[in-house]
Amino acid sequence: MEHLTEQEIAQCADAIREGSYASLPLAVREHVANCDECANEIAMVVETANEIDTTQKKNGKVVKLWISVSGAIAATVALLIIGNNFINNPKDSSLSNQLATIDSISQKDSSFTAIQPKVQAESKEKTAKKTVVVRKEILAEYKPNKNLDKLTENFKQAYRDDDNIIVQTLSEINIPTVDSLKWINNNSVKLTVMILNNEGKNVQSIETQGNGIKIPTLKPGLYYWKLINEDFDLLFCGKITIK
Amino acid sequence: MKLVGNQCKETFTDEDLLSLIRSVVGRYIQHRVIPFREREDVVMDVMEKFLKQKEKIFGSFEGKSKFTTYCIAVANRMCCEVIRRDCKQWYLVTEKENSDLPNEVALNHHDAEKNFLFKQEVNRLETILYFFNNDYAKLILFLKVYYSMPISDNDIKNYADYLSEDVKSIIADEKTKTKGDVFIRLAEVVNLVEQKDIRGDAVRIWFTNQINTIIRRLNGNGIANHDKESLSILFEMLFSDTLKS
């Protein structure tokens, strides 16, 4: 199957963003309806284009806000200085006096710098706590699933060969050491490979009539895989650790 | 970011290209496909690839889309190539090295607002639904019936057209209590609108296939792990007026 070109992907992405997807050529839409890879690619381009637009709008707003706020502050400060000099000391409006006034204001504000180390310490403490939480989350992704572990154990000792399927992959494998799941399927029986995460949730299902599949790209963690035939008989259950 | 939504290729500078590539790579970092520590390397790899073929890429632009979107599509494909080539290497890094990563990684992961992530997933779902082409209207209507969500006249009209009133009365049948009943009613709707003669089971199989396709595609970004339950939440968010407003 020939995938869509970058130009067609961009065309689809723009059509979705503009709400005119139905106006695209039928051949393109039909391909996307049946091709997960191109569908994912379009979704990714749409997300990125939306993000760029959002960032741009935000930046635009911030710049406008900054200009208006800084303008207002500058005008207020100028008016205060001029007004103060004019009322209190109308004759002495030299630049050095004005600068001295501003310096004295900034000295009063220097107390702010004393608070900074405390804030930094609190921020470091928060960051350390967050890191611990992240590590715990990572460990949770490798936590074995008791039921699936038991199932994997069972298939270590025996396997079903109703369809003359002989699994060649070991029951426990590590990625990147192994990158594919292999079996012998001389009769080209239709098989489904289910990849489950360590919570037992189905992450991906792949249908094949071949003698194996390439393990799809998955985020690091512990996974299990099941080989199922057309009659939904479980032929094998194995374990995949992605480091 | 200096990018403009629809820049033409004559005004598209290398600086624009770099910030565009950063956005593309950033999405994969957000999805945890690319480790944060590899960000600059991947950006430079993609940039190098792009610059080597810049003339060819620019020359192939047919004007069927915005130029920026076209560049995103090209950079996205190049980024996928880099991921395929280098991902094994990235995950060979030992836990010791991982523990030395800057805290920014942890912050990046946690600072993402829940709402923002939900919205992203809802947007992705909205995009994916478009891919159902002619079945789009049918799918939206059936999803709303199945998940007992409010159905508008337009939802029915988009699928049933001049048979809207008949479909409305079938859907509103108060005898519908179980999910099995729902599929029997939907089969009646299909038989009426599409001039077919099918049973509830056939609609159930069709519907389950569509749901599985949606879940597969939602999870295709490498990070999401949706199932039927989380999908129902996303549908509620997508169809609820509060989110849209």
Side-chain angles (χ1 to χ4, degrees):
Chain A
M1 181 166 52
E2 206 167 300
H3 290 294
L4 298 183
T5 62
E6 289 98 335
Q7 179 67 88
E8 287 166 327
I9 296 281
Q11 200 181 349
C12 292
D14 273 348
I16 285 170
R17 297 180 70 218
E18 288 158 8
S20 57
Y21 186 74
S23 65
L24 289 176
L26 186 64
V28 172
R29 283 186 288 137
E30 274 182 356
H31 176 86
V32 179
N34 297 310
C35 176
D36 284 351
E37 279 179 50
C38 288
N40 278 331
E41 220 174 318
I42 295 167
M44 206 67 175
V45 173
V46 170
E47 283 172 23
T48 312
N50 283 343
E51 193 187 77
I52 287 173
D53 273 2
T54 314
T55 316
Q56 209 193 331
K57 276 177 196 165
K58 273 185 192 168
N59 285 352
K61 276 182 189 169
V62 170
V63 169
K64 275 182 191 169
L65 190 70
W66 187 85
I67 290 168
S68 54
V69 168
S70 58
I73 290 171
T76 315
V77 169
L79 278 172
L80 280 173
I81 291 170
I82 294 165
N84 189 36
N85 280 331
F86 196 73
I87 294 162
N88 297 328
N89 198 7
K91 287 178 185 174
D92 186 12
S93 60
S94 68
L95 184 65
S96 58
N97 273 350
Q98 289 173 24
L99 288 173
T101 316
I102 293 166
D103 280 348
S104 68
I105 292 167
S106 63
Q107 271 170 9
K108 278 177 194 169
D109 280 352
S110 65
S111 56
F112 172 73
T113 51
I115 305 166
Q116 272 183 326
K118 197 184 167 189
V119 174
Q120 278 170 354
E122 278 174 7
S123 151
K124 270 185 187 173
E125 199 182 321
K126 277 183 189 170
T127 310
K129 276 182 189 170
K130 280 176 182 171
T131 313
V132 171
V133 174
V134 170
R135 278 187 199 159
K136 276 184 183 173
E137 277 181 8
I138 291 168
L139 285 174
E141 278 161 11
Y142 287 95
K143 194 181 169 189
N145 182 306
K146 277 183 188 173
N147 294 336
L148 290 169
D149 261 355
K150 206 174 168 184
L151 205 58
T152 307
E153 256 328 287
N154 290 343
F155 279 96
K156 260 184 190 173
Q157 291 144 16
Y159 62 87
R160 298 177 65 131
D161 63 345
D162 301 355
D163 298 301
N164 293 323
I165 305 292
I166 299 165
V167 177
Q168 294 175 312
T169 302
L170 295 173
S171 65
E172 289 182 28
I173 54 168
N174 288 321
I175 289 177
T177 319
V178 181
D179 68 347
S180 53
L181 306 171
K182 289 176 185 166
W183 52 82
I184 297 169
N185 180 11
N186 288 333
N187 299 337
S188 297
V189 176
K190 198 175 173 186
L191 299 165
T192 304
V193 180
M194 273 175 75
I195 296 178
L196 310 143
N197 64 11
N198 63 340
E199 288 171 358
K201 284 180 185 168
N202 190 6
V203 175
Q204 207 165 340
S205 290
I206 302 159
E207 286 186 359
T208 176
Q209 286 180 292
N211 292 310
I213 59 153
K214 200 157 175 73
I215 299 169
T217 311
L218 298 161
K219 61 177 180 171
L222 176 64
Y223 296 84
Y224 296 85
W225 67 282
K226 287 181 179 178
L227 189 64
I228 299 164
N229 69 7
E230 263 186 311
D231 299 327
F232 297 102
D233 293 326
L234 180 64
L235 305 179
F236 190 80
C237 182
K239 207 169 175 178
I240 306 170
T241 309
I242 300 179
K243 290 178 180 172
Chain B
M1 173 131 358
K2 200 187 150 190
L3 277 178
V4 180
N6 186 19
Q7 269 185 315
C8 60
K9 54 184 169 183
E10 288 75 20
T11 58
F12 196 77
T13 64
D14 287 351
E15 199 188 318
D16 295 329
L17 177 64
L18 187 64
S19 60
L20 183 143
I21 290 172
R22 277 188 204 285
S23 295
V24 171
V25 174
R27 293 219 61 82
Y28 287 98
I29 290 169
Q30 214 174 0
H31 289 164
R32 292 165 76 190
V33 177
I34 300 172
F36 180 78
R37 62 171 187 279
E38 304 291 341
R39 183 176 65 173
E40 279 311 302
D41 286 350
V42 179
V43 167
M44 286 307 144
D45 269 5
V46 177
M47 185 75 181
E48 195 186 331
K49 269 173 178 270
F50 201 111
L51 289 177
K52 272 183 187 170
Q53 301 176 53
K54 192 176 169 184
E55 276 181 30
K56 194 182 159 194
I57 293 165
F58 280 27
S60 308
F61 179 60
E62 296 163 22
K64 289 179 181 171
S65 66
K66 288 178 182 172
F67 184 67
T68 314
T69 318
Y70 170 68
C71 288
I72 294 171
V74 175
N76 185 59
R77 205 163 262 189
M78 288 175 168
C79 188
C80 288
E81 280 170 23
V82 175
I83 292 168
R84 269 196 292 273
R85 191 193 65 199
D86 293 347
C87 68
K88 283 185 183 175
Q89 228 177 323
W90 295 335
Y91 295 111
L92 275 175
V93 175
T94 61
E95 202 160 303
K96 166 77 180 68
E97 282 169 305
N98 269 329
S99 65
D100 292 340
L101 283 174
N103 287 324
E104 207 172 340
V105 179
L107 287 171
N108 269 359
H109 178 66
H110 277 275
D111 284 352
E113 294 282 332
K114 260 189 183 177
N115 257 351
F116 175 71
L117 289 174
F118 271 126
K119 273 192 178 174
Q120 268 194 337
E121 289 303 293
V122 172
N123 288 341
R124 191 176 171 87
L125 174 64
E126 199 175 11
T127 302
I128 287 166
L129 287 176
Y130 277 113
F131 301 150
F132 287 91
N133 298 327
N134 297 335
D135 285 337
Y136 177 81
K138 181 179 174 183
L139 187 61
I140 297 288
L141 177 64
F142 285 22
L143 281 167
K144 287 190 173 183
V145 173
Y146 183 80
Y147 287 115
S148 310
M149 289 171 192
I151 299 162
S152 70
D153 287 346
N154 265 347
D155 290 331
I156 300 174
K157 200 183 168 193
N158 289 342
Y159 173 55
D161 201 14
Y162 67 94
L163 295 165
S164 293
E165 285 307 313
D166 299 324
V167 169
K168 214 173 179 178
S169 60
I170 296 172
I171 290 171
D173 192 334
E174 285 179 359
K175 286 176 193 167
T176 310
K177 282 174 185 168
T178 63
K179 290 293 179 201
D181 293 337
V182 170
F183 287 120
I184 292 169
R185 294 283 161 267
L186 291 178
E188 282 177 40
V189 171
V190 174
N191 291 341
L192 177 72
V193 177
E194 298 178 28
Q195 304 287 307
K196 284 182 180 173
D197 183 22
I198 58 166
R199 292 181 179 182
D201 273 349
V203 178
R204 185 177 52 78
I205 292 167
W206 176 86
F207 188 76
T208 309
N209 281 339
Q210 308 305 313
I211 292 283
N212 287 341
T213 305
I214 294 171
I215 292 175
R216 203 174 60 239
R217 289 183 171 184
L218 273 176
N219 294 341
N221 61 8
I223 180 68
N225 191 11
H226 290 287
D227 54 17
K228 282 181 186 172
E229 281 172 30
S230 63
L231 185 63
S232 71
I233 297 168
L234 287 186
F235 279 130
E236 272 178 36
M237 293 175 77
L238 176 65
F239 296 133
S240 70
D241 292 328
T242 45
L243 187 90
K244 280 175 187 169
S245 62

